Amino acid sequence: MAQLNYPTTRTVDQKDNYHGTSVADPYRWLEDDRSAETGEWVKQQNQVTFSYLEKIPYRETIKKRLEKIYNYAKYSAPSRKGEWYYFYKNDGLQNQAVLYRQKGLNGTPEVVIDPNTLSKDATTRLAQFALSKDGKYAAYALSKGGSDWQDIFVMDMSTKKNLSDKVEWVKVSGIAWQGDGFYYSRYPKPAGSELAAKNENHQVFFHKIGTSQAADLLVFEDKANPQRFHTVNTTEDEKFALLYVSDRGKGKDGNALFYKEAGAKAFKPVVAEVSDFSYGVIENVGKALLIQTNKNAKNEKIESFDTATNTWKSIIAEKEEPLQSSSVAGGKLFLTYMKDVTTRAYVYDVKGKLENEITLPGLGTASGFGGNADDKAVFYTFTSFNYPSTIFSYDIATKQSTVFRAPEVDFRATDFETKQVFYPSKDGTKIPMFIVYKKGLKLDGQNPTLLYGYGGFNVSLNPAFSPLLIPFLEQGGVYAQANLRGGSEYGEKWHEQGMKLKKQNVFDDFIAAGEYLIAEKYCDNAHLAIRGGSNGGLLVGAVMNQRPELARVAIPQVGVMDMLRFQKFTIGWNWIADYGSADNAEEFKVLYAYSPLHNIKEGVDYPATLITTADHDDRVVPAHSFKYAAMLQAKAGKSSSNPLLIRIDTNSGHGASNTAKNIEQTADIYAFIWWNMNAKLSL
């Protein structure tokens, strides 16, 4: 294709002083998401991008194949409340999953909430659904257009009709019932842009059924620490309300924990001060709280706190493998551990005695295991790269699992294989990586290869089935998922090795993954694409600057690209615990050295780049991607032989706001990758 003519982006003479270093920010005006000029810039960029994508001849064919393979019924595991079982189902290509209920496991399903009917473009999402203890009422939260803001409504479950209740400006919140109402967390109505304004003064309220939000009781706030999160949940028997306080804006990676017994007015401390240790209540056993914590246990452990005596007791000690999840159901404690990024599941009694391991179908990811105190069985979901998400029922008495519901997907699992490798990073650390491909793959260096990574926030990239990946593999593509430091794959130690002053380890791990794939002849530089979203978008942007020749294509999605100003928007200050802050001189030096926006070089031939973001992303505001795209085009637009484009979705957020948008975006990404690799396809 001919050289692209990018829109000319106006510059301003904006400079900021960071600890004696003057830093220019010529595209500061793009931070104003409400200005007409920004809106016009978005329109012009999309015109260039979509006119490019529309010229790719097989773009529509890719989309149709994605639609076909995605078009199968997808269910969530059911949860029980009294005689009713609740579950989500997407018939196939519905934009949003529908919430159903049925009496007993063999009853006739009936619709509870169908989010597809709540907006013309089906971008309104059912974000939360919580039933009262007796099941008579449900509080549910809706978000619009992909935003993180939520509104809470109340439904009478006997009629499935809404009451008059409506709660607004909810964010970073659960819905925790206690008696005739529920706890929730919210911010004051933002001044200025609701999608970009900094969120401060997180408050906890109690809403009583049938009253207005103005009458809600303020339960907790901390005006002295406006950049803290305060959230409440309750135990199954509703005897305890549990208050969690975190202070990641000041670099603390853990939380404080308080409790309040039903009827009491004040919260009492379990852990009074926020530190780098986390505490999560699993459930109560009488007056004692079962707590998962990483205090003096980087792989986490289970302890008990007796509220009657204020004493701690060890229940299950730390193991070599990191503790992934914990839940209580049917009088048993269910724990999952992660061994080399795959799940192991165990059953204990509530005093901490091991009873048995749950046999899983293979190496993959198992999740769920939650339930009620009187349940006889629990449900869990198992998945791997070539094992579609399947729901199992585990009988507590017989200790046996049976398939409860398996999907019917238009592919043959035996056509594909997965291998796990351990490759050395720059400092010699062995990094795990999964590689997925069609059987019979030739290692000739010519296979279109998509390398995906994240590496941050204690998040693990586990094996999981995605129907949208199959069309890429069907065309001879290779998918590689690298488990970089900064995640939780090997516990808190792994996380710490990829955060703050050690963030460069994450980029080194990703670069080494690409070099391994090339050395082993899965691909060469001309057939490698790198992709990541959010913190992974930052990853791709940083690696592009450090090693622009490594990959042919780069897909930085909804990335944190301005590492000097991320904390100034919405809840960006929450990321200081992982990244550090430019307000700190030592951390500024590290951030400035890798910030994607600030390290773009003139005259460099960057990879073919498709940046993706969305107008309703109020987590990583689109200004990050706007400024990054403007700088990339200005500095490399004329010297690069490759397209440097930004795709800006509308009425969508940090993730695609509905199925249609998800499929459209995936089709565009695959088309862009294959087109720029001159891939030989059988479409």
Side-chain angles (χ1 to χ4, degrees), residues 380-527:
Y380 67 90
T381 300
F382 180 84
T383 183
S384 194
F385 290 108
N386 58 347
Y387 195 110
S389 295
T390 300
I391 302 167
F392 289 82
S393 175
Y394 173 80
D395 187 286
I396 295 173
T398 65
K399 303 178 181 179
Q400 297 297 313
S401 295
T402 55
V403 173
F404 175 73
R405 184 168 275 143
E408 297 181 6
V409 189
D410 180 28
F411 95 119
R412 290 190 303 180
T414 53
D415 288 349
F416 306 91
E417 59 183 287
T418 301
K419 66 187 294 187
Q420 186 181 35
V421 300
F422 295 83
Y423 64 90
S425 188
K426 184 178 181 179
D427 63 0
T429 301
K430 288 296 180 71
I431 311 297
M433 177 165 62
F434 292 100
I435 307 175
V436 193
Y437 47 87
K438 277 180 72 174
K439 286 183 178 176
L441 181 82
K442 291 183 179 179
L443 297 181
D444 59 4
Q446 302 296 301
N447 306 298
T449 299
L450 178 55
L451 171 61
Y452 187 87
Y454 187 79
F457 293 92
N458 212 24
V459 172
S460 174
L461 291 185
N462 297 333
F465 180 78
S466 170
L468 298 184
L469 180 60
I470 301 304
F472 187 84
L473 301 176
E474 288 174 338
Q475 295 300 320
V478 175
Y479 176 73
Q481 184 168 291
N483 295 104
L484 317 173
R485 283 174 284 184
S488 64
E489 284 85 347
Y490 292 100
E492 184 58 23
K493 290 180 181 178
W494 197 251
H495 176 212
E496 290 172 350
Q497 289 179 46
M499 59 189 287
K500 290 190 174 179
L501 303 182
K502 297 181 179 179
K503 187 68 175 176
Q504 182 60 41
N505 283 338
V506 184
F507 312 138
D508 291 342
D509 293 354
F510 199 57
I511 290 167
E515 291 175 335
Y516 175 90
L517 293 166
I518 292 167
E520 296 297 317
K521 296 193 179 300
Y522 287 96
C523 62
D524 55 18
N525 301 87
H527 290 86

Side-chain angles (χ1 to χ4, degrees), residues 156-174:
D156 183 330
M157 295 312 299
S158 63
T159 62
K160 293 191 293 184
K161 301 291 185 184
N162 277 1
L163 304 182
S164 60
D165 306 57
K166 183 180 181 182
V167 175
E168 298 179 303
W169 302 112
V170 177
K171 185 185 276 195
V172 190
S173 175

Side-chain angles (χ1 to χ4, degrees), residues 509-682:
D509 293 354
F510 199 57
I511 290 167
E515 291 175 335
Y516 175 90
L517 293 166
I518 292 167
E520 296 297 317
K521 296 193 179 300
Y522 287 96
C523 62
D524 55 18
N525 301 87
H527 290 86
L528 177 62
I530 55 176
R531 181 182 181 184
S534 195
N535 174 71
L538 153 65
L539 167 71
V540 172
V543 168
M544 282 172 59
N545 287 330
Q546 294 180 16
R547 290 288 302 276
E549 84 293 347
L550 178 66
R552 175 70 176 137
V553 181
I555 314 290
Q557 298 187 255
V558 293
V560 186
M561 300 310 210
D562 185 345
M563 298 309 298
L564 306 186
R565 288 175 59 79
F566 67 83
Q567 70 275 20
K568 298 183 181 296
F569 305 97
T570 62
I571 59 168
W573 46 262
N574 180 52
W575 312 331
I576 290 173
D578 229 70
Y579 293 145
S581 168
D583 294 336
N584 176 291
E586 185 181 20
E587 292 170 351
F588 160 74
K589 187 176 179 181
V590 173
L591 290 165
Y592 191 40
Y594 73 73
S595 177
L597 176 67
H598 299 97
N599 287 278
I600 298 170
K601 302 175 184 68
E602 292 193 37
V604 171
D605 195 14
Y606 280 93
T609 303
L610 182 63
I611 306 158
T612 72
T613 188
D615 62 351
H616 275 60
D617 188 346
D618 49 3
R619 198 173 312 168
V620 180
V621 293
H624 281 278
S625 293
F626 292 176
K627 291 164 64 176
Y628 174 74
M631 187 75 77
L632 188 63
Q633 290 172 355
K635 285 195 170 184
K638 292 182 180 178
S639 60
S640 179
S641 60
N642 301 314
L644 308 171
L645 302 173
I646 181 169
R647 183 188 189 278
I648 306 155
D649 209 345
T650 56
N651 218 21
S652 200
H654 197 58
S657 57
N658 65 27
T659 296
K661 288 180 178 293
N662 190 18
I663 289 173
E664 288 167 3
Q665 178 176 266
T666 303
D668 285 349
I669 288 171
Y670 289 170
F672 186 83
I673 290 172
W674 286 330
W675 186 251
N676 282 283
M677 289 182 181
N678 294 315
K680 297 176 182 178
L681 307 176
S682 58

